[in-house]
């Protein structure tokens, strides 16, 4: 497996642990529909979070969260709609980005809650 794939998988594991520490139950990981994938779907007290995890080992080209563009956001919104309909969920939906920066000196996790919404993308 390529090194960047290992980095990404490790970042997703750290993000899952982070969400669990925040009281979330992990409902799905790497949920696919068509060519798109949601990294983590988590649940806590009437809230479903669709989390995109971005992991990097350096920031020479920007912070990890800066790589979640509008196309990725739109895909997440479509995926959330499909998931909610398929599983007949009625909870509030939130879109988060979890940025993981891995380095030899330690890992840094930045959890951006409500990183984007369907309303702001429709403008």
């Amino acid at each position: 497996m390529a090194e960047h794939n290992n980095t990404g998988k490790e970042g997703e594991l750290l993000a899952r642990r982070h969400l669990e520490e925040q009281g979330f139950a992990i409902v799905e990981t790497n949920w696919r529909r068509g060519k798109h994938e949601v990294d983590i779907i988590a649940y806590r007290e009437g809230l479903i979070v669709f989390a995109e995890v971005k992991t990097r080992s350096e920031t020479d080209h920007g912070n990890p969260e800066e790589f979640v563009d509008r196309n990725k956001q739109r895909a997440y919104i479509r995926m959330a709609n499909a998931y909610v309909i398929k599983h007949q969920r009625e909870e509030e939906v939130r879109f988060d980005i979890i940025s993981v920066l891995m380095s030899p000196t330690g890992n840094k996790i930045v959890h951006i809650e409500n990183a984007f919404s369907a309303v702001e993308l429709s403008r």
Side-chain angles (χ1 to χ4, degrees), residues 27 43 47-48 83-91 93:
V27 178
Y43 173 82
L47 174 67
I48 297 178
Y83 183 88
V84 166
I85 290 168
K86 178 179 181 178
H87 296 280
Q88 300 178 347
R89 304 298 296 246
E90 296 182 9
E91 295 89 351
V93 171

Side-chain angles (χ1 to χ4, degrees), residues 73-86:
Q73 293 172 12
R74 285 186 186 99
Y76 256 67
I77 290 165
R78 287 191 302 274
M79 295 287 286
N81 286 334
Y83 183 88
V84 166
I85 290 168
K86 178 179 181 178

Side-chain angles (χ1 to χ4, degrees), residues 56 58-67 101:
R56 297 288 186 271
E58 45 83 12
T59 58
D60 291 348
H61 301 288
N63 291 317
E65 65 271 17
E66 295 171 20
F67 293 89
L101 185 58

Side-chain angles (χ1 to χ4, degrees), residues 11-51:
E12 287 183 15
L13 177 62
L14 292 171
R16 286 194 303 271
R17 287 181 183 157
H18 168 77
L19 286 168
E20 289 171 336
E21 289 169 1
Q22 302 301 313
F24 284 93
I26 305 303
V27 178
E28 302 267 358
T29 57
N30 307 113
W31 189 77
R32 296 191 67 82
R33 185 161 188 264
K35 66 178 183 173
H36 298 289
E37 178 181 273
V38 174
D39 293 328
I40 300 172
I41 302 173
Y43 173 82
R44 180 181 73 193
E45 301 167 1
L47 174 67
I48 297 178
V49 169
F50 291 81

